[in-house]
Coordinates of all heavy atoms in Angstrom, one line a residue:
M1 N 0.8 -1.2 0.1 CA 0.0 0.0 0.0 C 0.9 1.2 0.0 O 1.9 1.3 0.5 CB -0.9 0.0 1.2 CG -1.8 -1.2 1.4 SD -2.9 -1.4 0.0 CE -3.3 -3.1 0.1
K2 N 0.4 2.2 -0.7 CA 1.2 3.5 -0.8 C 0.2 4.7 -0.4 O -1.0 4.7 -0.9 CB 1.6 3.6 -2.3 CG 2.6 4.6 -2.5 CD 4.0 4.1 -2.3 CE 5.0 5.2 -2.7 NZ 6.4 4.7 -2.4
E3 N 0.7 5.5 0.4 CA -0.1 6.7 0.7 C 0.0 7.8 -0.5 O 1.0 8.0 -1.1 CB 0.5 7.5 1.9 CG 0.4 6.6 3.2 CD -1.1 6.5 3.6 OE1 -1.9 7.4 3.4 OE2 -1.5 5.4 4.3
P4 N -1.1 8.4 -0.8 CA -1.2 9.4 -1.9 C -0.2 10.5 -1.7 O 0.5 11.0 -2.6 CB -2.6 9.9 -1.8 CG -3.5 8.8 -1.2 CD -2.5 8.2 -0.3
D5 N 0.0 10.9 -0.4 CA 1.0 11.9 -0.1 C 2.5 11.6 -0.5 O 3.3 12.4 -0.8 CB 1.0 12.4 1.3 CG -0.3 13.3 1.6 OD1 -1.0 13.7 0.6 OD2 -0.7 13.3 2.9
E6 N 2.7 10.3 -0.2 CA 4.1 9.8 -0.6 C 4.3 9.8 -2.1 O 5.3 10.2 -2.6 CB 4.2 8.2 -0.2 CG 4.2 8.0 1.3 CD 4.3 6.5 1.6 OE1 5.3 5.9 1.3 OE2 3.3 6.0 2.1
I7 N 3.3 9.5 -2.9 CA 3.3 9.6 -4.3 C 3.5 11.0 -4.7 O 4.4 11.4 -5.6 CB 2.1 8.9 -5.0 CG1 2.2 7.4 -4.8 CG2 2.1 9.2 -6.5 CD1 0.9 6.7 -5.2
K8 N 2.7 11.9 -4.1 CA 2.8 13.3 -4.6 C 4.2 13.8 -4.3 O 4.8 14.6 -5.0 CB 1.8 14.1 -3.7 CG 1.8 15.6 -4.0 CD 0.6 16.3 -3.3 CE 0.8 17.8 -3.8 NZ -0.4 18.5 -3.3
K9 N 4.8 13.6 -3.0 CA 6.1 14.0 -2.7 C 7.2 13.5 -3.7 O 8.1 14.3 -4.0 CB 6.5 13.6 -1.3 CG 7.9 13.8 -0.8 CD 8.1 15.1 -0.2 CE 9.4 15.3 0.6 NZ 10.5 15.5 -0.3
T10 N 7.1 12.2 -4.0 CA 8.1 11.7 -5.0 C 8.0 12.4 -6.3 O 9.1 12.7 -6.9 CB 7.8 10.2 -5.1 OG1 7.9 9.5 -3.9 CG2 8.7 9.6 -6.2
L11 N 6.8 12.7 -6.7 CA 6.7 13.3 -8.1 C 7.1 14.7 -7.9 O 7.8 15.3 -8.9 CB 5.3 13.3 -8.6 CG 4.8 11.9 -9.0 CD1 3.3 11.7 -9.3 CD2 5.6 11.4 -10.2
E12 N 6.8 15.5 -6.8 CA 7.3 16.9 -6.6 C 8.8 17.0 -6.6 O 9.4 17.9 -7.1 CB 6.6 17.4 -5.4 CG 5.2 17.8 -5.6 CD 4.4 18.2 -4.3 OE1 5.0 17.9 -3.2 OE2 3.4 18.8 -4.4
D13 N 9.4 15.9 -6.0 CA 10.9 15.9 -6.0 C 11.4 15.5 -7.3 O 12.5 16.1 -7.7 CB 11.4 14.7 -4.9 CG 11.1 15.1 -3.5 OD1 10.7 16.3 -3.2 OD2 11.2 14.2 -2.7
E14 N 10.8 14.8 -8.2 CA 11.2 14.4 -9.5 C 11.0 15.6 -10.5 O 11.9 15.7 -11.4 CB 10.4 13.2 -10.0 CG 10.9 12.6 -11.3 CD 12.2 11.7 -11.1 OE1 12.6 11.4 -10.0 OE2 12.9 11.5 -12.0
F15 N 9.9 16.3 -10.3 CA 9.7 17.4 -11.3 C 9.6 18.7 -10.4 O 8.5 19.1 -10.1 CB 8.3 17.2 -11.9 CG 8.2 15.9 -12.7 CD1 7.7 14.7 -12.2 CD2 8.8 15.8 -14.0 CE1 7.7 13.5 -13.0 CE2 8.9 14.6 -14.8 CZ 8.2 13.5 -14.3
A16 N 10.7 19.4 -10.2 CA 10.7 20.5 -9.5 C 9.8 21.7 -10.1 O 9.9 21.8 -11.3 CB 12.2 21.1 -9.4
G17 N 9.1 22.2 -9.2 CA 8.2 23.3 -9.7 C 6.9 22.8 -10.2 O 6.0 23.7 -10.7
A18 N 6.7 21.5 -10.3 CA 5.4 21.0 -10.9 C 4.3 21.0 -9.9 O 4.4 21.2 -8.8 CB 5.6 19.5 -11.2
T19 N 3.1 21.1 -10.6 CA 1.9 21.0 -9.8 C 1.5 19.5 -9.9 O 1.4 18.9 -11.0 CB 0.7 21.8 -10.5 OG1 1.2 23.2 -10.4 CG2 -0.6 21.6 -9.7
V20 N 1.2 18.9 -8.8 CA 0.9 17.4 -8.7 C -0.3 17.2 -8.0 O -0.5 17.7 -6.9 CB 2.1 16.6 -8.1 CG1 1.7 15.1 -8.0 CG2 3.4 16.9 -8.8
E21 N -1.2 16.4 -8.5 CA -2.4 16.0 -7.9 C -2.5 14.5 -7.8 O -2.2 13.8 -8.9 CB -3.7 16.5 -8.6 CG -3.8 18.0 -8.5 CD -5.0 18.6 -9.3 OE1 -5.9 17.8 -9.7 OE2 -5.0 19.8 -9.5
V22 N -2.8 13.8 -6.7 CA -2.9 12.4 -6.6 C -4.2 12.0 -6.0 O -4.6 12.5 -4.9 CB -1.7 11.8 -5.8 CG1 -1.8 10.3 -5.7 CG2 -0.4 12.2 -6.4
E23 N -4.9 11.2 -6.7 CA -6.2 10.8 -6.1 C -6.2 9.2 -5.9 O -5.8 8.5 -6.8 CB -7.3 11.1 -7.1 CG -8.7 10.7 -6.6 CD -9.8 11.1 -7.6 OE1 -9.5 11.7 -8.6 OE2 -11.0 10.7 -7.4
D24 N -6.6 8.7 -4.7 CA -6.8 7.3 -4.5 C -8.1 6.9 -5.0 O -9.1 7.3 -4.4 CB -6.6 7.1 -3.0 CG -6.7 5.6 -2.6 OD1 -7.0 4.8 -3.5 OD2 -6.5 5.3 -1.4
L25 N -8.1 6.2 -6.1 CA -9.5 6.1 -6.8 C -10.4 5.0 -6.0 O -11.6 5.2 -6.3 CB -9.2 5.5 -8.3 CG -8.4 6.4 -9.2 CD1 -8.1 5.7 -10.4 CD2 -9.3 7.7 -9.4
T26 N -9.9 4.1 -5.2 CA -10.7 3.1 -4.7 C -10.6 3.2 -3.1 O -11.4 2.5 -2.5 CB -10.2 1.7 -5.1 OG1 -8.9 1.5 -4.7 CG2 -10.4 1.5 -6.6
G27 N -9.8 4.0 -2.5 CA -9.6 4.0 -1.1 C -8.8 2.9 -0.6 O -8.7 2.8 0.6
T28 N -8.2 2.1 -1.5 CA -7.4 1.0 -1.0 C -5.9 1.2 -1.1 O -5.1 0.4 -0.9 CB -7.7 -0.3 -1.9 OG1 -7.6 0.1 -3.3 CG2 -9.2 -0.7 -1.6
K29 N -5.6 2.4 -1.5 CA -4.2 2.9 -1.6 C -3.3 2.0 -2.6 O -2.1 1.8 -2.4 CB -3.5 2.8 -0.2 CG -4.2 3.8 0.8 CD -3.5 3.7 2.2 CE -4.3 4.7 3.0 NZ -3.9 4.6 4.5
D30 N -4.0 1.5 -3.6 CA -3.3 0.8 -4.7 C -3.8 1.2 -6.1 O -3.2 0.6 -7.0 CB -3.2 -0.7 -4.4 CG -4.7 -1.3 -4.3 OD1 -5.6 -0.5 -4.5 OD2 -4.8 -2.5 -4.2
H31 N -4.7 2.0 -6.2 CA -5.2 2.4 -7.4 C -5.2 4.0 -7.5 O -6.0 4.6 -6.6 CB -6.6 2.0 -7.7 CG -6.8 0.6 -7.9 ND1 -6.6 -0.4 -7.0 CD2 -7.2 -0.2 -9.1 CE1 -6.9 -1.6 -7.4 NE2 -7.1 -1.5 -8.7
F32 N -4.4 4.6 -8.3 CA -4.2 6.0 -8.3 C -4.4 6.7 -9.7 O -4.1 6.2 -10.6 CB -2.8 6.3 -7.8 CG -2.5 5.9 -6.4 CD1 -1.8 4.7 -6.2 CD2 -3.0 6.6 -5.3 CE1 -1.6 4.2 -4.9 CE2 -2.7 6.2 -4.1 CZ -2.1 5.0 -3.8
Q33 N -4.9 7.9 -9.5 CA -4.9 8.8 -10.7 C -4.1 10.0 -10.3 O -4.2 10.6 -9.3 CB -6.4 9.4 -10.9 CG -6.4 10.6 -11.8 CD -6.3 10.2 -13.3 OE1 -7.0 9.3 -13.7 NE2 -5.4 10.8 -13.9
V34 N -3.0 10.2 -11.1 CA -2.0 11.3 -10.9 C -2.1 12.3 -12.1 O -2.3 11.8 -13.2 CB -0.7 10.7 -10.7 CG1 -0.5 9.9 -9.5 CG2 -0.1 10.1 -11.9
T35 N -2.1 13.5 -11.8 CA -2.1 14.6 -12.8 C -0.7 15.4 -12.4 O -0.6 15.8 -11.3 CB -3.3 15.5 -12.6 OG1 -4.4 14.7 -12.9 CG2 -3.2 16.6 -13.8
V36 N 0.1 15.6 -13.4 CA 1.3 16.3 -13.2 C 1.4 17.4 -14.3 O 1.3 17.1 -15.6 CB 2.5 15.4 -13.3 CG1 3.8 16.1 -13.2 CG2 2.4 14.2 -12.4
I37 N 1.6 18.6 -13.8 CA 1.8 19.7 -14.8 C 3.1 20.3 -14.6 O 3.5 20.7 -13.5 CB 0.7 20.8 -14.4 CG1 -0.7 20.3 -14.4 CG2 0.8 22.0 -15.4 CD1 -1.7 21.0 -13.6
S38 N 3.9 20.1 -15.6 CA 5.3 20.5 -15.5 C 6.0 20.9 -16.8 O 5.6 20.5 -18.0 CB 6.1 19.3 -15.1 OG 7.6 19.5 -15.1
E39 N 6.9 21.9 -16.7 CA 7.6 22.4 -17.9 C 8.6 21.3 -18.4 O 9.0 21.4 -19.5 CB 8.4 23.6 -17.6 CG 7.5 24.8 -17.3 CD 8.3 26.1 -16.9 OE1 9.6 26.1 -17.0 OE2 7.7 27.1 -16.6
A40 N 8.8 20.3 -17.7 CA 9.7 19.2 -18.1 C 9.1 18.4 -19.2 O 9.8 17.6 -19.8 CB 10.0 18.2 -16.9
F41 N 7.8 18.6 -19.5 CA 7.2 17.9 -20.6 C 7.3 18.5 -21.9 O 6.8 18.0 -22.9 CB 5.7 17.6 -20.1 CG 5.6 16.7 -18.9 CD1 4.5 17.1 -18.0 CD2 6.3 15.7 -18.7 CE1 4.4 16.4 -16.8 CE2 6.2 15.0 -17.5 CZ 5.2 15.3 -16.6
E42 N 7.8 19.8 -21.9 CA 7.9 20.5 -23.2 C 8.7 19.7 -24.2 O 9.7 19.0 -23.8 CB 8.7 21.8 -22.9 CG 7.9 22.8 -22.1 CD 6.8 23.6 -22.8 OE1 6.8 23.5 -24.0 OE2 6.0 24.2 -22.1
D43 N 8.2 19.7 -25.4 CA 8.9 18.9 -26.5 C 9.0 17.4 -26.3 O 9.9 16.7 -26.9 CB 10.3 19.5 -26.7 CG 10.3 21.0 -27.2 OD1 9.3 21.4 -27.8 OD2 11.1 21.7 -26.7
K44 N 8.2 16.8 -25.4 CA 8.2 15.4 -25.1 C 6.9 14.8 -25.7 O 5.8 15.5 -25.6 CB 8.3 15.0 -23.7 CG 9.5 15.6 -23.0 CD 10.7 14.7 -23.2 CE 11.9 15.0 -22.3 NZ 12.8 16.0 -22.8
S45 N 6.9 13.6 -26.3 CA 5.6 13.0 -26.6 C 4.8 12.5 -25.4 O 5.5 12.5 -24.3 CB 6.0 11.7 -27.6 OG 6.5 10.8 -26.7
L46 N 3.6 12.3 -25.6 CA 2.8 11.8 -24.5 C 3.4 10.5 -23.9 O 3.4 10.4 -22.7 CB 1.3 11.5 -24.9 CG 0.3 11.3 -23.8 CD1 0.3 12.4 -22.9 CD2 -1.0 11.0 -24.4
V47 N 3.9 9.6 -24.7 CA 4.5 8.4 -24.2 C 5.7 8.7 -23.4 O 5.9 8.2 -22.3 CB 4.9 7.4 -25.4 CG1 5.7 6.2 -24.9 CG2 3.6 6.9 -26.1
E48 N 6.6 9.7 -23.8 CA 7.7 10.0 -23.1 C 7.3 10.7 -21.8 O 8.0 10.4 -20.7 CB 8.6 11.0 -23.9 CG 9.2 10.4 -25.1 CD 9.9 11.4 -26.0 OE1 9.4 12.5 -26.2 OE2 11.0 11.1 -26.4
Q49 N 6.3 11.5 -21.8 CA 5.8 12.1 -20.5 C 5.4 11.1 -19.5 O 5.7 11.2 -18.4 CB 4.7 13.1 -20.8 CG 5.0 14.3 -21.7 CD 3.9 15.1 -22.1 OE1 2.8 15.1 -21.5 NE2 4.0 15.8 -23.2
H50 N 4.7 10.1 -20.0 CA 4.1 9.1 -19.1 C 5.3 8.1 -18.6 O 5.3 7.9 -17.3 CB 3.1 8.3 -19.8 CG 1.8 9.0 -19.9 ND1 0.5 8.3 -20.1 CD2 1.5 10.2 -19.9 CE1 -0.4 9.3 -20.1 NE2 0.2 10.4 -20.0
R51 N 6.3 7.9 -19.4 CA 7.5 7.1 -18.9 C 8.1 7.9 -17.9 O 8.7 7.4 -16.9 CB 8.3 6.9 -20.1 CG 7.9 5.7 -21.0 CD 8.8 5.5 -22.1 NE 8.3 4.4 -22.9 CZ 8.6 4.2 -24.2 NH1 9.5 5.0 -24.7 NH2 8.1 3.3 -24.9
M52 N 8.3 9.3 -18.0 CA 9.0 10.0 -17.0 C 8.2 10.0 -15.6 O 8.8 9.9 -14.6 CB 9.0 11.5 -17.5 CG 9.9 11.8 -18.6 SD 9.7 13.4 -19.4 CE 10.4 14.5 -18.2
V53 N 6.9 9.9 -15.7 CA 6.1 9.9 -14.4 C 6.2 8.5 -13.8 O 6.3 8.3 -12.6 CB 4.6 10.2 -14.7 CG1 3.8 10.1 -13.5 CG2 4.6 11.8 -15.0
Y54 N 6.1 7.4 -14.6 CA 6.2 6.1 -14.2 C 7.6 5.8 -13.6 O 7.7 5.0 -12.6 CB 6.0 5.0 -15.4 CG 4.7 4.6 -15.6 CD1 4.1 4.9 -16.8 CD2 3.9 4.0 -14.6 CE1 2.7 4.5 -17.1 CE2 2.6 3.5 -14.9 CZ 2.0 3.8 -16.1 OH 0.8 3.4 -16.4
A55 N 8.7 6.4 -14.1 CA 10.0 5.9 -13.7 C 10.3 5.8 -12.3 O 10.8 4.8 -11.8 CB 11.0 6.9 -14.4
P56 N 9.9 6.8 -11.4 CA 10.2 6.6 -10.0 C 9.5 5.5 -9.3 O 9.8 5.1 -8.2 CB 9.8 8.0 -9.4 CG 9.5 8.9 -10.5 CD 9.2 8.1 -11.7
F57 N 8.5 4.9 -10.0 CA 7.7 3.9 -9.4 C 7.8 2.5 -10.1 O 7.0 1.6 -9.9 CB 6.2 4.3 -9.4 CG 6.0 5.6 -8.7 CD1 5.8 6.7 -9.5 CD2 6.0 5.8 -7.4 CE1 5.6 8.0 -9.0 CE2 5.8 7.0 -6.8 CZ 5.6 8.2 -7.6
N58 N 8.7 2.4 -11.0 CA 8.8 1.1 -11.8 C 8.7 -0.1 -11.0 O 8.1 -1.1 -11.3 CB 10.2 1.2 -12.7 CG 10.0 2.0 -13.9 OD1 8.9 2.1 -14.4 ND2 11.1 2.3 -14.4
E59 N 9.4 -0.2 -9.8 CA 9.5 -1.3 -9.0 C 8.2 -1.6 -8.2 O 8.0 -2.7 -7.7 CB 10.7 -1.4 -8.1 CG 12.0 -1.4 -8.9 CD 13.2 -1.4 -8.0 OE1 13.1 -1.7 -6.8 OE2 14.3 -1.2 -8.5
E60 N 7.3 -0.6 -8.1 CA 6.2 -0.7 -7.2 C 4.9 -1.0 -8.1 O 3.9 -1.5 -7.5 CB 6.0 0.6 -6.5 CG 7.2 0.9 -5.5 CD 7.0 2.2 -4.8 OE1 7.5 3.2 -5.4 OE2 6.4 2.2 -3.7
I61 N 5.0 -0.6 -9.4 CA 3.8 -0.8 -10.2 C 3.7 -2.3 -10.5 O 4.6 -2.9 -10.9 CB 3.9 0.0 -11.5 CG1 3.8 1.5 -11.1 CG2 2.8 -0.4 -12.5 CD1 4.0 2.5 -12.3
G62 N 2.6 -2.8 -10.2 CA 2.4 -4.3 -10.4 C 2.5 -5.0 -9.0 O 2.2 -6.2 -8.8
G63 N 3.0 -4.2 -8.0 CA 3.2 -4.6 -6.7 C 2.3 -3.9 -5.7 O 1.0 -4.1 -5.9
P64 N 2.9 -3.0 -4.9 CA 2.0 -2.2 -4.0 C 1.0 -1.3 -4.8 O 0.0 -0.9 -4.3 CB 3.0 -1.5 -3.1 CG 4.3 -2.1 -3.4 CD 4.2 -2.9 -4.7
I65 N 1.5 -0.8 -5.9 CA 0.6 0.0 -6.8 C 0.1 -0.9 -7.9 O 0.8 -1.3 -8.8 CB 1.5 1.2 -7.3 CG1 2.0 2.0 -6.2 CG2 0.5 2.0 -8.3 CD1 2.9 3.2 -6.7
H66 N -1.2 -1.2 -7.8 CA -1.9 -2.1 -8.8 C -2.3 -1.4 -10.0 O -2.1 -1.8 -11.1 CB -3.1 -2.7 -8.1 CG -3.7 -3.7 -8.9 ND1 -3.2 -4.9 -9.2 CD2 -4.9 -3.6 -9.7 CE1 -4.0 -5.6 -10.0 NE2 -5.0 -4.9 -10.3
A67 N -2.7 -0.1 -9.9 CA -3.1 0.7 -11.1 C -2.7 2.2 -10.9 O -2.8 2.8 -9.9 CB -4.6 0.7 -11.3
F68 N -2.1 2.7 -12.1 CA -1.6 4.0 -12.0 C -2.0 4.7 -13.3 O -1.4 4.5 -14.4 CB 0.0 3.9 -11.9 CG 0.7 5.0 -11.4 CD1 0.6 5.3 -10.0 CD2 1.6 5.8 -12.1 CE1 1.2 6.4 -9.4 CE2 2.3 6.7 -11.5 CZ 2.2 7.1 -10.1
S69 N -3.0 5.6 -13.2 CA -3.5 6.3 -14.4 C -2.9 7.7 -14.3 O -2.8 8.3 -13.3 CB -5.1 6.4 -14.2 OG -5.5 7.2 -15.3
I70 N -2.4 8.1 -15.5 CA -1.6 9.3 -15.5 C -2.1 10.3 -16.6 O -2.6 10.0 -17.6 CB -0.1 9.0 -16.0 CG1 0.6 8.1 -15.0 CG2 0.6 10.3 -16.2 CD1 1.9 7.6 -15.5
K71 N -2.2 11.5 -16.1 CA -2.5 12.7 -17.0 C -1.4 13.7 -16.9 O -0.9 14.0 -15.7 CB -3.8 13.4 -16.6 CG -5.0 12.5 -16.7 CD -6.3 13.3 -16.4 CE -7.5 12.4 -16.5 NZ -8.8 13.1 -16.1
T72 N -0.8 14.1 -18.0 CA 0.4 15.0 -17.9 C 0.0 16.2 -18.9 O -0.7 16.1 -19.9 CB 1.6 14.3 -18.5 OG1 1.4 13.8 -19.8 CG2 2.1 13.3 -17.5
F73 N 0.5 17.3 -18.4 CA 0.3 18.6 -19.2 C 1.5 19.5 -19.0 O 2.1 19.5 -18.0 CB -0.9 19.5 -18.6 CG -2.2 18.7 -18.6 CD1 -2.6 18.0 -17.5 CD2 -3.0 18.7 -19.7 CE1 -3.9 17.2 -17.6 CE2 -4.2 18.1 -19.8 CZ -4.6 17.4 -18.7
T74 N 1.8 20.2 -20.0 CA 2.7 21.4 -19.9 C 1.9 22.4 -19.3 O 0.7 22.4 -19.4 CB 3.3 21.8 -21.2 OG1 2.2 22.2 -22.1 CG2 4.2 20.7 -21.9
P75 N 2.6 23.5 -18.7 CA 1.7 24.6 -18.1 C 0.7 25.2 -19.2 O -0.3 25.6 -18.9 CB 2.8 25.6 -17.6 CG 3.9 24.7 -17.2 CD 4.0 23.6 -18.3
E76 N 1.3 25.3 -20.4 CA 0.6 25.9 -21.5 C -0.6 25.1 -21.9 O -1.7 25.7 -22.0 CB 1.5 26.1 -22.8 CG 0.8 26.7 -23.9 CD 1.7 26.9 -25.2 OE1 2.9 26.8 -25.0 OE2 1.1 27.0 -26.2
K77 N -0.4 23.9 -22.0 CA -1.6 22.9 -22.3 C -2.6 22.9 -21.1 O -3.8 22.8 -21.4 CB -1.0 21.5 -22.6 CG -0.4 21.6 -24.1 CD 0.0 20.1 -24.5 CE 0.6 20.3 -25.9 NZ 0.9 19.0 -26.5
W78 N -2.1 23.0 -19.9 CA -3.0 23.0 -18.8 C -3.8 24.2 -18.9 O -5.1 24.1 -18.6 CB -2.2 22.8 -17.5 CG -3.2 23.0 -16.3 CD1 -3.2 24.0 -15.4 CD2 -4.0 22.0 -15.8 NE1 -4.1 23.7 -14.5 CE2 -4.6 22.5 -14.6 CE3 -4.3 20.7 -16.3 CZ2 -5.6 21.7 -13.9 CZ3 -5.3 19.9 -15.6 CH2 -5.8 20.4 -14.4
Q79 N -3.3 25.4 -19.2 CA -4.0 26.7 -19.3 C -5.0 26.5 -20.3 O -6.2 27.0 -20.1 CB -3.0 27.8 -19.6 CG -3.7 29.2 -19.6 CD -4.2 29.7 -18.4 OE1 -3.6 29.4 -17.3 NE2 -5.3 30.5 -18.4
K80 N -4.7 26.1 -21.5 CA -5.7 25.8 -22.6 C -6.8 25.0 -22.2 O -8.0 25.2 -22.5 CB -5.0 25.3 -23.9 CG -4.2 26.4 -24.6 CD -3.5 25.8 -25.8 CE -2.7 26.9 -26.4 NZ -1.9 26.3 -27.6
K81 N -6.5 24.0 -21.5 CA -7.6 23.0 -21.0 C -8.5 23.7 -20.0 O -9.7 23.5 -20.1 CB -7.0 21.7 -20.2 CG -7.9 20.8 -19.8 CD -7.3 19.6 -19.1 CE -8.1 18.7 -18.4 NZ -9.5 18.6 -18.6
Q82 N -8.0 24.5 -19.1 CA -8.8 25.3 -18.2 C -9.7 26.3 -19.0 O -10.9 26.4 -18.6 CB -8.0 25.9 -17.1 CG -7.1 25.0 -16.2 CD -8.0 24.0 -15.6 OE1 -9.0 24.3 -14.9 NE2 -7.7 22.7 -15.8
E83 N -9.1 26.9 -19.9 CA -10.0 27.9 -20.7 C -11.1 27.2 -21.4 O -12.2 27.7 -21.5 CB -9.0 28.6 -21.7 CG -8.1 29.6 -21.0 CD -7.0 30.2 -22.0 OE1 -7.1 29.8 -23.2 OE2 -6.2 30.9 -21.4
N84 N -10.8 26.1 -22.0 CA -11.8 25.3 -22.7 C -12.9 24.7 -21.7 O -14.0 24.6 -22.2 CB -11.2 24.1 -23.5 CG -10.4 24.7 -24.7 OD1 -10.6 25.8 -25.2 ND2 -9.5 23.9 -25.2
T85 N -12.5 24.4 -20.6 CA -13.4 23.9 -19.5 C -14.4 24.9 -19.1 O -15.6 24.7 -18.9 CB -12.7 23.3 -18.3 OG1 -11.8 22.3 -18.8 CG2 -13.6 22.7 -17.3
I86 N -13.9 26.2 -19.0 CA -14.7 27.3 -18.5 C -15.8 27.7 -19.5 O -16.9 28.1 -19.1 CB -13.8 28.5 -18.2 CG1 -13.0 28.1 -17.0 CG2 -14.7 29.7 -17.9 CD1 -11.8 29.2 -16.7
Q87 N -15.5 27.6 -20.8 CA -16.4 28.0 -21.9 C -17.7 27.1 -21.9 O -17.8 26.1 -21.7 CB -15.7 28.0 -23.2 CG -14.6 29.1 -23.3 CD -13.8 29.0 -24.5 OE1 -14.1 28.2 -25.4 NE2 -12.8 29.8 -24.6

């Protein structure tokens, strides 16, 4: 089992200055939805972005972390998403 705050701290350490949200989807501390907004994703494909987020948890996924759903955005893409959501 993994605490959502542990996952958030790991990602904040990995992506300095990023905005990180972690949601425990089932309350069982093994199914998570993570959203990471970071400039580190500039010029990276979506697959590369997701690999970057998975990397710190490679040994835990499939073990203590059963499911890990990822959403990644650059700050610019996050801003556009927010503008489209408001309209």
